Amino acid sequence: MTDQERQTRYEQLREEIFAVVSGETYLPARLATASCLLAEAFRPRFFWTGFYVVDPLKSEELVVGPYVGTLGCLRIPFTRGVCGACAASGETQLVPDVHAFPGHIACDSRTNSEIVVPVFNEDGTLAAVLDVDSEQPDAFDEIDKAGLEAICAGLLTA
């Protein structure tokens, strides 16, 4: 898939995801829809696609939410791994080699690269992070970052 084709595909997915979740009030339904459509659109490059949600009882910890892929880690503190770094900073983490990332949590040893994007509530607080893993090294770039950020930016408000 060319860069232009990927960019166009992200734009189409954004519209499709927002159309499906529009008016849906149940957070897991919104997240499950996004996980499924993203995983299917970019398989096999997207090896694991899903969300870690901020635990309402432990505000500095993520708990696994809807995902497509192999078994995910159940909980991730904001102080550990790529997902934790995204949650703590509120910024997308684009990691070409997870094995070189300090404190990386290997939920599946086949993962070689990762991108994690924050998902914010309407009030600006962190609701979740979108985690996408790939078996390929350096699988994600600025096109993926822009496309996933655009989806995550409106995921809870569409």
Side-chain angles (χ1 to χ4, degrees), residues 34-93:
S35 296
C36 176
L37 291 175
L38 285 166
E40 290 301 316
F42 293 108
R43 189 177 309 273
R45 187 168 60 100
F46 282 26
F47 170 68
W48 195 97
T49 307
F51 292 88
Y52 284 93
V53 180
V54 176
D55 186 329
L57 301 177
K58 297 179 179 181
S59 63
E60 296 293 314
E61 194 167 290
L62 299 166
V63 62
V64 72
Y67 68 91
V68 177
T70 59
L71 184 65
C73 297
L74 292 182
R75 293 188 169 271
I76 300 174
F78 284 22
T79 56
R80 298 223 26 237
V82 181
C83 290
C86 177
S89 70
E91 297 177 357
T92 298
Q93 303 292 305

Side-chain angles (χ1 to χ4, degrees), residues 86-128:
C86 177
S89 70
E91 297 177 357
T92 298
Q93 303 292 305
L94 183 60
V95 182
D97 179 2
V98 296
H99 308 291
F101 190 89
H104 174 255
I105 303 168
C107 299
D108 189 311
S109 62
R110 293 174 286 179
T111 297
N112 285 301
S113 60
E114 185 170 5
I115 185 169
V116 183
V117 180
V119 179
F120 296 101
N121 290 307
E122 286 187 58
D123 67 4
T125 59
L126 183 71

